[in-house]
Amino acid sequence: MREAVASALAELARRDERSAELAAIALHTLAPEQDLERLHQHAVQRLCWYELPLRFQNSPEDRRLAVGSLGRLFQLLELFRYAGVCSSPETAALLDLYERDHNAALAMYERLMWESGVEPPDLPELTWGTAVGDVELTVRGETAAALELAVSLGDIRPGKRGWRPAQERFARSFLTQPDRHGLSRLDRIREERVRAWLGSSAHPHRQHLWPLVGQIIAGADTPRDAETAMAPLRRLLDLAAEGISLTQIGYISPGVVRLMCEDFGWRTTPDPPRNETDATQLIALHQVLRSMRAVRRSGRRLELTRRGRRLREDPDSLWVAATEALGRGGGLEQAAAETLLGLLLTRSPQGLGSHARRGTSDAEAAERVLTESGWRPFEPPVASGRHAAAHRRTAENSSDRIRAMVMAVGWLLEALGLVVGDESVGRRELTPVGRSFALACLHRSAVSPRAVV
């Protein structure tokens, strides 16, 4: 194979040394060891339509020459499909567009990649990331090569009716096919993402979740009792479908608060509740529906969004959306959710796990994990001095904020009936459905794609 490449480059050099030089550089980018068997159309398209235009962005002549030279090299190597990418009218039009409007050229590049049929599609099971590990990078290339073969055989026909569902079915089958060890490519991507998520130096609190690594990788299927757990959310969506009156400052009207408390037997202080702030369960439900973008405020009413209407009709999708919501907040809010869920999952059935001690509430235990992991914005105040009192109040407010974030997650678990026991002394435990919910939350957060920031 290397002899064939050397011969083709020598022939190209006899015609034009500069052309041979640029073709060699381009080929080295695609196949560093001149292993042409590992070439695939997706990589060639990306090089011609994105990487070379960026590399030669200040020299349009070299850009065209590099793409044209690579095409001639492919012709000499009898790789005619790849030569066709280099010499296609679409490639010429895109290279011209880069000179006039870079943003428009990038949009055209993305469209051409998608229309080619070899761009691995996002699936409900997997959204491809932009910051990826070695496993995901390799699997994406393998998927693109498999799609190229399917297109060449006519199993996927880009541009024809129904080609996108066919492409998704093929990609899903390819990604979920188990190897001789019983692991699929999708499994290997998820494992890589989970391990990177747990080992993130930017989120040291996740070190406490390592004992759960296998369970987080596996996740949890939607349990049979999921619809019962989602009943309070579903009820609030039903009420929002008719429009829920809001107070002047945006709280749910007292009548709806009392109705929800009666329907689900929530205990409040005072009882009956006077407003939404008296019902922590409803505060949590209201907040999670907003984070799910299922409801929106319109004047003095809370109404369903289009997404809310879909979730109201599909209990399974509502479960998925709820598990995604806890891992989407970012920052301290997300760290609080992950820490409390991890604490509850690692607790023994008697509530005597390593994190739980009699007399220590779950909020205090989770706060300790977070502060020991670095969530301590302020140093302890000095013992004396003119600003000592102000420093002390600042530190106390910081501690209160961490604890409040943890408690808000607990309120949601209570509202959905996912925990039992006494929170105030660290004796609370997840129900079987609660364990499924907690694992699904951590799994979805861990396997979600990372983006280049």
Side-chain angles (χ1 to χ4, degrees):
M1 191 65 68
R2 290 177 179 170
E3 291 79 4
V5 173
S7 176
L9 287 172
E11 173 63 25
L12 203 56
R14 281 193 289 272
R15 304 176 188 177
D16 185 336
E17 289 190 5
R18 176 60 174 163
S19 179
E21 178 186 347
L22 290 174
I25 292 172
L27 184 64
H28 179 76
T29 301
L30 289 169
E33 298 180 3
Q34 298 183 358
D35 184 2
L36 299 186
E37 292 182 357
R38 299 181 64 180
L39 272 179
H40 51 80
Q41 183 178 335
H42 184 276
V44 174
Q45 290 176 175
R46 179 178 170 83
L47 181 70
C48 293
W49 296 345
Y50 179 73
E51 294 177 7
L52 287 178
L54 288 184
R55 186 178 301 178
F56 297 109
Q57 58 183 325
N58 297 322
S59 178
E61 295 79 11
D62 283 347
R63 178 190 306 157
R64 294 192 190 88
L65 182 58
V67 172
S69 301
L70 181 63
R72 288 189 287 275
L73 178 61
F74 284 144
Q75 285 280 358
L76 292 170
L77 292 169
E78 298 184 355
L79 299 173
F80 301 117
R81 181 184 298 114
Y82 304 151
V85 172
C86 299
S87 60
S88 70
E90 292 81 7
T91 298
L94 180 57
L95 295 180
D96 288 341
L97 186 57
Y98 269 109
E99 296 180 39
R100 304 192 306 272
D101 189 332
H102 184 80
N103 290 333
L106 290 179
M108 181 179 178
Y109 154 69
E110 293 178 357
R111 176 176 60 80
L112 290 177
M113 288 293 284
W114 177 241
E115 291 176 350
S116 71
V118 300
E119 176 74 28
D122 289 335
L123 303 170
E125 305 93 325
L126 174 67
T127 299
W128 298 98
T130 53
V132 300
D134 292 340
V135 170
E136 185 169 348
L137 187 63
T138 299
V139 170
R140 185 164 189 172
E142 292 172 348
T143 307
L147 286 169
E148 177 185 348
L149 180 60
V151 170
S152 67
L153 294 175
D155 296 333
I156 299 172
R157 304 175 67 189
K160 301 297 183 181
R161 183 182 179 87
W163 79 270
R164 291 183 180 180
Q167 184 200 42
E168 290 182 4
R169 287 193 298 271
F170 181 90
R172 179 177 292 107
S173 175
F174 181 78
L175 288 167
T176 57
Q177 181 179 1
D179 60 16
R180 58 190 179 89
H181 301 293
L183 292 176
S184 69
R185 294 174 176 85
L186 180 59
D187 292 331
R188 290 191 281 115
I189 290 176
R190 286 174 170 171
E191 179 175 356
E192 180 181 56
R193 287 185 177 184
V194 169
R195 292 186 180 278
W197 182 83
L198 287 171
S200 171
S201 59
H203 301 88
H205 67 277
R206 291 177 184 159
Q207 294 297 317
H208 295 266
L209 300 175
W210 273 107
L212 299 166
V213 58
Q215 297 178 66
I216 295 174
I217 291 171
D221 295 330
T222 304
R224 286 177 296 179
D225 295 337
E227 191 168 354
T228 301
M230 294 295 104
L233 283 173
R234 174 71 180 275
R235 177 66 171 134
L236 202 53
L237 289 174
D238 288 342
L239 293 170
E242 301 172 1
I244 297 174
S245 298
L246 299 174
T247 66
Q248 188 171 358
I249 57 176
Y251 288 126
I252 290 174
S253 64
V256 172
V257 174
R258 288 190 290 270
L259 177 64
M260 290 287 292
C261 289
E262 291 171 5
D263 286 351
F264 295 100
W266 295 334
R267 297 190 333 188
T268 63
T269 303
D271 189 9
R274 296 163 300 184
N275 52 51
E276 183 181 343
T277 60
D278 293 336
T280 57
Q281 302 90 339
L282 195 58
I283 292 174
L285 295 179
H286 188 179
Q287 181 178 353
V288 78
L289 284 181
R290 283 188 178 273
S291 69
M292 289 158 54
R293 302 187 303 279
V295 294
R296 64 182 179 86
R297 180 175 179 176
S298 178
R300 294 279 295 274
R301 293 173 69 80
L302 193 68
E303 298 178 346
L304 283 185
T305 62
R306 182 179 301 176
R307 184 166 193 255
R309 287 193 292 272
R310 291 198 302 268
L311 295 176
R312 181 184 174 218
E313 301 301 326
D314 188 346
D316 287 346
S317 294
L318 183 58
W319 170 272
V320 171
T323 59
E324 289 175 340
L326 284 186
R328 189 184 292 154
L332 179 57
E333 183 180 359
Q334 183 172 339
E338 292 168 358
T339 301
L340 180 60
L341 294 177
L343 182 154
L344 293 171
L345 282 167
T346 54
R347 177 169 293 164
S348 67
Q350 292 76 30
L352 300 175
S354 59
H355 294 296
R357 299 182 302 174
R358 290 180 180 273
T360 301
S361 70
D362 289 341
E364 291 171 329
E367 179 196 357
R368 184 170 61 249
V369 170
L370 288 167
T371 53
E372 290 174 354
S373 301
W375 288 101
R376 198 197 318 262
F378 303 99
E379 294 296 324
V382 294
S384 60
R386 187 172 62 176
H387 300 295
H391 284 203
R392 190 176 300 108
R393 284 194 300 271
T394 301
E396 290 171 353
N397 289 340
S398 173
S399 177
D400 289 344
R401 181 168 175 260
I402 293 175
R403 197 171 303 178
M405 292 286 186
V406 176
M407 291 173 65
V409 179
W411 295 343
L412 178 63
L413 299 177
E414 292 170 4
L416 300 178
L418 302 176
V419 288
V420 293
D422 188 350
E423 186 278 337
S424 64
V425 291
R427 304 290 295 190
R428 190 163 50 176
E429 298 171 10
L430 291 167
T431 65
V433 180
R435 289 191 66 84
S436 295
F437 183 85
L439 284 172
C441 288
L442 295 178
H443 173 80
R444 295 186 191 284
S445 177
V447 302
S448 62
R450 291 174 293 156
V452 176
V453 200

